[in-house]
Amino acid sequence: MSRDSAAFEPYPDPGEIWRYLEDRFGLERDLFARHRLWWRAGDKREKPVWIVHEDCAPPVEVKVDWVGLCLMRQPPPRGFPTSAFLRRFGAPATRNVVDVDWDTGLRLMYNHQIEHAPLDDKGGPYIVRSPRTVLGRGWVRKGRLILDTPKGWPNQLMPRTELAEVGEAP
């Protein structure tokens, strides 16, 4: 299939994703009322699902690889929300949220793990949230909370030398 924007299609069952987000995280559908979901149905590789404001649609005359914000890299049941999506929409979550203080959040951003019991039988994904912001997607593995941290994020927060000065160096 062509990689141009004409290959984008509205996601065929948005209700499935809205139900998942509501069941897993307590994110009410009203939060997404002005958004639509798109994907590339014929793509042989992963089939990411993008969330886009209702007034926006993939342009047909310009080739684009992505549109909007990647919600999932593949649809349910195997897919789960990206950290970028959870950072944007996860603040009002009421379920499967791990609230941490800012110092713990910084340690998690530097790929440290903290002891934490799973919040449910599924073991994740979870929303990791600090008083300042949603940090992203986390998992509890073998009794340890792990944050999916893109490599560039820690360097945007505070250089390691400054972190060492406040006693939080990894």
Side-chain angles (χ1 to χ4, degrees):
M1 176 171 275
S2 170
R3 297 288 298 163
D4 67 14
S5 299
F8 282 101
E9 297 177 8
Y11 187 72
D13 188 7
E16 169 189 38
I17 292 181
W18 305 142
R19 279 188 299 279
Y20 167 81
L21 294 171
E22 190 169 12
D23 292 347
R24 180 76 195 160
F25 302 111
L27 295 172
E28 296 183 15
R29 290 185 190 203
D30 292 349
L31 181 63
F32 310 107
R34 304 229 30 213
H35 294 83
R36 302 294 175 258
L37 302 179
W38 292 83
W39 76 329
R40 283 194 176 100
D43 207 337
K44 300 283 189 247
R45 303 167 296 144
E46 293 180 342
K47 295 184 179 186
V49 178
W50 290 276
I51 186 168
V52 181
H53 190 272
E54 69 182 353
D55 293 337
C56 185
V60 177
E61 65 279 355
V62 178
K63 292 182 179 184
V64 295
D65 288 329
W66 287 58
V67 59
L69 178 65
C70 186
L71 191 157
M72 297 179 163
R73 299 214 184 280
Q74 54 186 323
R78 295 196 52 178
F80 44 83
T82 64
S83 277
F85 170 80
L86 293 177
R87 286 179 51 101
R88 166 61 179 84
F89 289 100
T94 59
R95 286 194 287 278
N96 292 307
V97 176
V98 178
D99 287 305
V100 298
D101 60 40
W102 185 242
D103 290 338
T104 302
L106 281 174
R107 286 193 298 276
L108 288 168
M109 292 293 286
Y110 280 105
N111 294 318
H112 284 240
Q113 301 174 10
I114 62 170
E115 289 185 31
H116 201 286
L119 300 176
D120 66 3
D121 295 338
K122 296 178 184 179
Y126 299 116
I127 294 174
V128 180
R129 188 168 58 190
S130 79
R132 295 183 186 186
T133 189
V134 173
L135 299 174
R137 183 183 61 223
W139 304 90
V140 173
R141 305 266 198 253
K142 299 179 182 176
R144 315 275 303 162
L145 176 64
I146 303 164
L147 180 66
D148 284 343
T149 308
K151 291 178 184 177
W153 284 7
N155 295 332
Q156 293 173 4
L157 291 175
M158 185 183 302
R160 289 181 187 262
T161 55
E162 290 179 33
L163 196 58
E165 290 172 11
V166 294
E168 300 294 332

